[in-house]
Amino acid sequence: MTDSGFCRWRSVIYTVDDTNAPIHTPKNKGKESLAYLQYLVDHYDDLPETVVFLHAHRDGLPAGWHIDTMEYSNVDSVRALQREFVQQQGFVNLRCQLSPGCPDAIQPFRQPPKLENPGEQYYATAWKSLFPNEKIPEQIAAPCCSQFAVSRGQILQRPRSDYQRMYDWVMNNDLPDDATANIMEYTWHIIFGRDPVL
């Protein structure tokens, strides 16, 4: 703990659009998805007790519209994080507002697919790659936007090979970038042990 009462966080910042950066992804794919998965693969044996996954922007509108603090600030969001709650729950979405994302953001078998979710029409096929041999859910829902905290224990519930398989899918699929990101956005909570409808 620091003198101000806040814990110190170890930052690992992946650059997605500069392969000459010290820490980078091989390409910019799936928005934050590739960076998050690369962190899990790279640091699987060296995880802190609590891991917080955040976007690159710090605060403000319009970039931080989905951050649930008065100033749309990721700094305030992390400062307010109750690490004990993360340890208890395993996975905590940093967004509390339910819209967009609930009550049923993705319905893999909906016809026609919901156009606001560019990944919905590809979700069932993606699921087969992400979760082989697991039944495709009828609906998936969680608060949007791919910012969350996870306990080390929850991450370790899956072997590194699962995260590598997911990483390979993000890297190598032929889907549009927005579709890949949208699929992952509504899959993180499932990856980390929560029911499809959070």
Side-chain angles (χ1 to χ4, degrees), residues 49-119:
E49 184 177 84
T50 302
V51 182
V52 179
F53 291 92
L54 297 171
H55 297 167
H57 51 267
R58 177 179 167 157
D59 56 28
L61 291 174
W65 68 267
H66 55 281
I67 301 170
D68 287 356
T69 64
M70 294 299 288
E71 301 298 322
Y72 304 97
S73 168
N74 266 334
V75 172
D76 292 343
S77 185
V78 172
R79 283 182 175 157
L81 184 65
Q82 297 178 24
R83 288 173 296 143
E84 299 80 17
F85 186 70
V86 176
Q87 294 304 308
Q88 178 188 30
Q89 295 295 310
F91 171 89
V92 175
N93 195 316
L94 295 184
R95 183 169 170 83
C96 297
Q97 296 183 41
L98 299 179
S99 180
C102 296
D104 59 355
I106 301 281
Q107 292 183 25
F109 306 107
R110 180 174 13 215
Q111 291 300 328
K114 187 176 183 180
L115 298 178
E116 299 87 60
N117 288 325

Side-chain angles (χ1 to χ4, degrees), residues 14-17 19 24-39 41-42 126 129-130 162-177 179-181 183-184 188:
Y14 284 87
T15 301
V16 299
D17 56 1
T19 56
H24 62 273
T25 58
K27 62 182 173 179
N28 188 357
K29 181 75 184 286
K31 298 186 180 177
E32 66 282 325
S33 303
L34 197 61
Y36 289 7
L37 288 165
Q38 187 165 336
Y39 174 83
V41 171
D42 289 352
S129 295
L130 296 170
D162 280 7
Y163 301 115
Q164 183 68 57
R165 182 182 63 252
M166 295 170 187
Y167 175 90
D168 292 343
W169 177 80
V170 170
M171 270 286 289
N172 300 315
N173 75 59
D174 294 326
L175 300 179
D177 194 58
T180 298
I183 289 166
M184 293 304 296
W188 292 115

Side-chain angles (χ1 to χ4, degrees), residues 5-24:
F6 295 113
C7 68
R8 295 182 180 176
W9 294 92
R10 176 180 71 179
S11 297
V12 180
I13 301 169
Y14 284 87
T15 301
V16 299
D17 56 1
D18 179 2
T19 56
N20 294 315
I23 304 173
H24 62 273

Side-chain angles (χ1 to χ4, degrees), residues 130-159:
L130 296 170
F131 303 101
N133 306 315
E134 291 187 35
K135 185 179 180 213
I136 301 166
E138 294 290 324
Q139 60 183 18
I140 297 95
C144 81
C145 304
S146 299
Q147 294 199 120
F148 51 87
V150 190
S151 70
R152 175 178 54 222
Q154 189 62 54
I155 293 170
L156 296 177
Q157 291 297 306
R158 291 188 176 278

